[in-house]
Structures are given as C-alpha cells and as structure tokens.
C-alpha cells in the first residue's frame, strides 16, 4: 500500500454549545492512502461532518492527532492552517455553498486567486467546461439548477488540484438522476487527478462506489468489514 495521506490517531473532539460540552468524536483512528476513496456512513448526529471539519482543520482536535499530507493539523498555527486548506483540501457540501453574488466563473476563480494563479479566469473557465457548464459561466448561483450549482462546486473544489477532497452528502439536495450525474463527475475528476476522497453519505449504493467504507456510530468509527478502530 502507498504511504498514507491521512493519519488520524486517537482523535477526540468536543464542542461547547449552549447546552454545555458535547463529546462528538471519541477516539477515532483512521489511515487513508494517497488516492484512496473512503465513504463514511452512519446515523444523523454520529459525528460525520465533525470528522470532515477536523480533516479540513476547521475544527481543532481536543486531543489526539490529525495529519494530512504530512502536516500535523493539531499543532500548526492559524496562518499555516489557512495555507494548508488552500493548497491541499477541496470541500463539497450538501447545500453547494457558492457565493450568491458571484458568477459561476468568479466562484471557481476564487481559490485560484487565493493561490496566486496568474490566469485564474482562464483556468476557471476550463474547469467549468470540464463539468459541462461552458455555457453557464456568467450565471449567478440563483440562475442555476441544483445540479448545475453542485457542478460549479465540484469545479471549484478540484480546480486547485487538492490532494484531499472532502464531500459531505454532496447529493443530499439533488434528485436521484441529477445526483447520479454529479457523482459520476466527481469520481471522474477524482480518478483523473488521483485525488484522495472522503465521502460522507447516507446512500449505501453511493458509498459502495468507494474502495472502502467506514461507519461512524456515536463518535466512534468501525470499518464496514466489522473491525473496530
Ligand atoms: N458547534 C457545536 N456545538 C455543540 N454540539 C455540536 C456542534 N456541532 C455539532 N454538534 C453535535 O455534534 C453531534 C455530531 O454532529 P455532526 O454534524 O458531526 O453529525 P453528522 O453525523 O454529520 O449528522 P448528519 O448525518 O445529520 O449530518 C451532533 O449531536 C450535534 O448536535
Ligand atoms: Mg452531517
């Protein structure tokens, strides 16, 4: 097996809400190889989104270690963390999260601009053509269908060639057929770029398209073959 891109060791993560602290992740261990595709299944509230937040560095571990692309997310400072996210991680959400006041082209250009790319608009246009939206580049998100918005989000996530793509129920707001088209596109882009993928989904069939499935239950992970981590 190739070297791991993701290495999580005994990760605990608690968040303090209005009703006090909640122990969300309770001792997660997970290693993911470069280019591997892993689905995360599990009931609502189990901690799946929180795990993705920890992997993107948006939430800090309470204890334990999260290493991605050789970067230890538990010890780096905020500036390095922001750079890490820009350079290594793409995220696709259930509700698309496009910036409503920006066109499709501007949305996809944004991460390229942050990364100091010299011709962001050109590259963004090509990325949009690759997801079949060459004729929609000047549309605002509100002028696009749900499936089209998610394709813009895919173009935006992949345009900087992240090593790690995190997808949180990316078809949750789409009808079955549109969801299928979006996921075919996601897996095509993943294969083309050799991206490591962590896909959170409630859809067992979609999960089975990944090389490996893990299940989160009450803040703990188990491999879908029954091995407890
Ligand atoms: N900021 C927060 N403060 C306190 N508790 C939180 C916070 N965010 C999430 N939680 C709690 O953490 C638990 C896990 O939430 P999370 O969003 O990770 O679940 P999930 O597995 O993604 O669920 P779903 O399938 O519904 O999206 C939930 O019980 C939730 O109420
Ligand atoms: Mg969630």
């Amino acid at each position: 097996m190739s070297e791991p891109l993701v290495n999580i060791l005994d990760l605990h993560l608690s968040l303090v809400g209005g009703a006090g602290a909640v122990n969300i992740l309770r001792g997660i261990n997970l290693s993911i190889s470069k280019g591997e595709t892993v689905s995360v299944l599990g009931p609502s509230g189990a901690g799946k989104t929180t795990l993705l937040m920890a992997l993107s560095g948006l939430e800090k571990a309470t204890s334990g270690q999260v290493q991605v692309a050789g970067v230890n997310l538990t010890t780096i400072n905020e500036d390095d963390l922001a750079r890490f996210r820009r350079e290594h991680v793409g995220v696709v959400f259930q509700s698309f999260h496009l910036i409503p006041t920006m066109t499709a082209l501007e949305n996809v250009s944004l991460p390229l601009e942050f990364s100091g790319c010299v011709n962001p608009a050109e590259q963004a246009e090509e990325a949009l053509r690759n997801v079949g939206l060459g004729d929609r580049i000047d549309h605002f998100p509100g002028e696009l269908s749900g499936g089209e918005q998610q394709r813009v989000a895919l173009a935006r996530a992949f345009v900087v060639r992240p090593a790690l793509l995190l997808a949180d129920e990316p078809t949750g707001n789409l009808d079955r057929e549109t969801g299928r088209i979006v996921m075919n596109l996601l897996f095509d882009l993943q294969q083309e770029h050799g991206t490591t993928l962590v896909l959170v989904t409630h859809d067992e069939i979609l999960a089975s398209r990944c090389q490996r499935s893990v299940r989160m239950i009450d803040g703990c992970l188990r491999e879908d073959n029954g091995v407890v981590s």
Side-chain angles (χ1 to χ4, degrees), residues 3-80:
E3 68 182 281
L5 182 85
V6 171
N7 210 0
I8 300 178
L9 287 174
D10 198 22
L11 167 63
H12 289 255
L13 202 156
S14 306
L15 289 177
V16 182
V22 185
N23 299 324
I24 303 174
L25 303 180
R26 305 163 179 234
I28 303 280
N29 292 291
L30 181 66
S31 180
I32 304 175
S33 304
K34 275 188 183 146
E36 195 175 16
T37 55
V38 178
S39 56
V40 183
L41 291 154
S44 180
K48 304 179 300 293
T49 295
T50 307
L51 177 66
L52 293 195
M53 304 270 274
L55 278 172
S56 66
L58 285 171
E59 289 292 353
K60 276 237 176 207
T62 307
S63 66
Q65 293 227 342
V66 180
Q67 263 205 329
V68 179
V71 179
N72 187 342
L73 302 191
T74 33
T75 53
I76 63 172
N77 64 37
E78 287 298 323
D79 286 350
D80 289 343

Side-chain angles (χ1 to χ4, degrees), residues 156-167:
R156 181 182 60 181
F158 277 101
V159 78
V160 288
R161 310 269 162 107
L164 179 63
L165 188 86
L166 305 173

Side-chain angles (χ1 to χ4, degrees), residues 20 37 45 55 63 70 86 98 103 106 113 154 170 181 190 194 221:
T37 55
L55 278 172
S63 66
R86 274 201 309 271
L98 298 173
T103 64
E106 289 164 347
E113 282 162 15
L154 282 181
I181 292 167
Q190 179 272 327
L221 268 194

Side-chain angles (χ1 to χ4, degrees), residues 72-217:
N72 187 342
L73 302 191
T74 33
T75 53
I76 63 172
N77 64 37
E78 287 298 323
D79 286 350
D80 289 343
L81 200 52
R83 178 160 357 104
F84 158 81
R85 276 201 295 271
R86 274 201 309 271
E87 290 177 357
H88 296 296
V89 185
V91 187
V92 182
F93 301 94
Q94 176 175 354
S95 48
F96 322 133
H97 285 209
L98 298 173
I99 297 173
T101 53
M102 289 183 150
T103 64
L105 188 75
E106 289 164 347
N107 267 282
V108 179
S109 296
L110 206 56
L112 291 163
E113 282 162 15
F114 282 134
S115 69
C117 167
V118 288
N119 55 349
E122 250 170 67
Q123 283 195 39
E125 187 173 345
E126 194 192 334
L128 282 164
R129 272 202 305 270
N130 283 341
V131 296
L133 291 176
D135 57 349
R136 291 286 188 277
I137 63 171
D138 293 325
H139 284 230
F140 290 92
E143 301 168 341
L144 297 167
S145 71
E148 287 170 344
Q149 289 183 59
Q150 195 61 305
R151 278 147 67 195
V152 174
L154 282 181
R156 181 182 60 181
F158 277 101
V159 78
V160 288
R161 310 269 162 107
L164 179 63
L165 188 86
L166 305 173
D168 196 353
E169 300 186 46
T171 59
N173 277 344
L174 304 175
D175 64 72
R176 184 163 285 276
E177 178 56 15
T178 308
R180 198 185 58 78
I181 292 167
V182 164
M183 287 316 293
N184 285 344
L185 202 51
L186 188 150
F187 279 105
D188 284 350
L189 289 164
Q190 179 272 327
Q191 279 190 351
E192 188 182 324
H193 301 308
T195 316
T196 307
L197 170 68
V198 181
L199 168 66
V200 168
T201 181
H202 287 281
D203 179 341
E204 303 260 352
I205 295 171
L206 182 53
S208 69
R209 292 186 65 172
C210 290
Q211 293 160 336
R212 181 150 69 105
S213 278
V214 295
R215 205 168 281 269
M216 179 159 286
I217 296 166

